[in-house]
Amino acid sequence: MNNILKKIIKDITIVVVIYNSKENLFNIINKFNNFKIILVDNGKNQKILKKIEKYNIPNLKIITNNKNVGYGCAVNQAFKILNTKFTLLIEPDCILSEKNLLEMYKTINKYENCAITVPKFFNKKKYKNENVLFYEVDKIKRNEKEKKIFNMISQTEPLGDTCALCFLGALMLFNNKYFYKKIFDERYFIYFEDMQLCKDIYKNKNSIIISSDTSAFHEDHGSTNMNIITKYII
């Protein structure tokens, strides 16, 4: 293990929130078993948790809730007990390599006032933009030419590190010094907590930076086994 990898293992805690989780959770556990990992169990994960126990991972801590407390609240539970400089929040339906995590780590340390670093997402080698606008900005009326330019820009892969106004919260590397006792606003049960977080960061004149030398994969709604209850919650 090289010195840089040893440093990021020391500096980063990985947080994963699970609810009725799929087997893809093990992609993260297997890949990052040298890191400190906190799993927050929001329910319906008995089979997965029994399998995890057999792994006997010394760096793994599980927070078990008696009910689904919501995504933001679950993340905050983990944040309150970790003691590293950075937090990697990753959903089970995301795929990220150690190499790309290292690039994110370099980016977040490179820029002043960088509160969050995120990767570039790809699906079947095609760039998938997860960088969005605040809704009140997105709803501005545009003529056809403006719409065409906007769509072209939003679908273009950035060639350098780029500031994002708002980024979907499936995979984020947080610089913990910019957050006090919590990351997300717990008034949001699921969805829009990432939008509010990005607004708060913008208001505080800090930055969210897309790391240009990274690539990751995100499967929409791929974290949980879909059934009527899960669809109702979504």
Side-chain angles (χ1 to χ4, degrees), residues 114-116 118 162-167 198 201 206-210:
C114 179
I116 298 176
V118 292
T162 307
C163 282
L165 187 64
C166 185
F167 204 88
C198 295
I201 289 170
N206 295 317
S207 300
I208 301 166
I209 296 180
I210 303 171

Side-chain angles (χ1 to χ4, degrees), residues 1-2 4-16 28-39 57-61 84 86-88 90 96-103 105 173:
M1 187 183 299
N2 61 47
I4 296 177
L5 184 56
K6 286 180 180 178
K7 182 167 177 54
I8 68 169
I9 288 173
K10 180 183 177 183
D11 283 353
I12 296 174
T13 297
I14 296 172
V15 174
V16 189
I28 297 170
I29 292 174
N30 291 330
K31 194 169 293 180
F32 298 108
N33 57 24
N34 289 320
F35 287 77
K36 299 180 187 74
I37 301 175
I38 300 177
L39 286 183
I57 302 171
N59 299 322
L60 175 66
K61 181 176 180 59
T84 50
F86 304 98
T87 301
L88 178 71
I90 182 169
L96 180 75
S97 68
E98 275 189 356
K99 177 178 176 291
N100 285 289
L101 177 55
L102 174 59
E103 293 302 327
Y105 179 82
L173 181 64

Side-chain angles (χ1 to χ4, degrees), residues 127-165:
Y127 176 63
K128 181 187 177 195
N129 183 27
E130 298 275 17
N131 178 19
V132 297
L133 297 174
F134 296 144
Y135 284 120
E136 57 268 36
V137 178
D138 193 29
K139 296 302 180 183
I140 293 173
K141 290 185 178 180
R142 299 180 175 89
N143 59 39
E144 290 303 314
K145 183 178 180 181
E146 289 170 336
K147 287 179 183 178
K148 185 176 180 180
I149 293 171
F150 175 79
N151 291 332
M152 181 184 69
I153 292 172
S154 66
Q155 294 168 14
T156 301
E157 178 187 342
L159 299 179
D161 294 340
T162 307
C163 282
L165 187 64

Side-chain angles (χ1 to χ4, degrees), residues 7 15-16 32 34 40 62 65 67-68 91 111 126 138 142 148 164 167 187 197-198 202 205 234:
K7 182 167 177 54
V15 174
V16 189
F32 298 108
N34 289 320
V40 187
I62 299 173
N65 293 313
K67 61 179 181 179
N68 188 347
E91 293 185 0
Y111 297 101
K126 184 178 179 182
D138 193 29
R142 299 180 175 89
K148 185 176 180 180
F167 204 88
R187 292 176 297 175
L197 171 68
C198 295
Y202 180 77
K205 298 182 179 180
I234 291 172

